[in-house]
């Protein structure tokens, strides 16, 4: 792993396809979000779920202020891997000076009756990554809470 990439993982007692469906549908992101910063999905480019490579969606955010991030799906391998790259929405101009380009990735590896889920925060394409990486500990905690929320929802289904 590079110093610009942070990952957390956990086993969840649910099939990979069910977990993949959670992250490949932006309307479910607020439900699983462990950061508390997601307000809700908007401007989803495709009515089809799960989303595929090239599809776009925007999320209303509230973390140090209200803003909107627009994401493009960059990886979509059903049941195995889903990733998107986020940049500030054109309506969030002041945030464009601070960040843009981070990648969020989820990987799913079936392991007996469980699935190993790995969430990755990749800053390798983030312009101000040296500043943003200061939030590494906060990001790790949020990712752990996200996987805990995914587990609670998927295991209850």
């Amino acid at each position: 792993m590079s110093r610009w990439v942070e990952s957390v993982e956990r086993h969840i007692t649910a099939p990979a396809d069910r977990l993949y469906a959670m992250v490949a549908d932006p309307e479910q992101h607020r439900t699983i979000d462990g950061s508390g910063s997601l307000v809700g999905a908007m401007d989803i480019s495709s009515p089809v779920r799960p989303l595929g490579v090239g599809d776009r969606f925007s999320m209303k955010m509230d973390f140090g202020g209200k803003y909107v991030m627009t994401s493009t799906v960059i990886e979509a391998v059903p049941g195995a891997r889903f990733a998107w790259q986020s940049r500030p929405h054109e309506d969030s101009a002041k945030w464009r000076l601070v960040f843009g380009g981070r990648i969020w990735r989820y990987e799913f590896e079936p392991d007996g009756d469980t699935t190993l889920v790995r969430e990755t925060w990749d800053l390798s394409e983030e312009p101000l990554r040296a500043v943003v990486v200061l939030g590494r500990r906060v990001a790790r905690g949020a990712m752990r809470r996200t996987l805990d929320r995914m587990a609670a929802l998927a295991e209850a289904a």
Side-chain angles (χ1 to χ4, degrees), residues 6 63 121 123 129-142:
E6 191 70 42
F63 184 76
W121 184 56
L123 299 176
R129 64 184 168 256
V131 174
V132 177
V133 81
L134 295 173
R136 180 182 302 261
R137 193 169 68 203
V138 171
R140 283 183 67 79

Side-chain angles (χ1 to χ4, degrees), residues 13-34:
T13 307
D17 289 340
R18 182 181 309 156
L19 299 165
Y20 179 90
M22 286 181 173
V23 299
D25 181 356
E27 292 177 329
Q28 293 191 48
H29 289 190
R30 185 166 186 259
T31 305
I32 63 172
D33 172 46

Side-chain angles (χ1 to χ4, degrees), residues 9 17 37 44 51 66-67 76 119 135 155:
E9 54 186 36
D17 289 340
S37 64
I44 301 171
L51 295 182
K66 295 180 190 285
Y67 58 100
E119 181 179 359
E155 292 170 355

Side-chain angles (χ1 to χ4, degrees), residues 142-157:
M143 290 190 298
R144 281 192 185 103
R145 287 187 299 277
T146 295
L147 295 185
D148 290 346
R149 291 177 78 146
M150 285 179 69
L153 289 166
E155 292 170 355

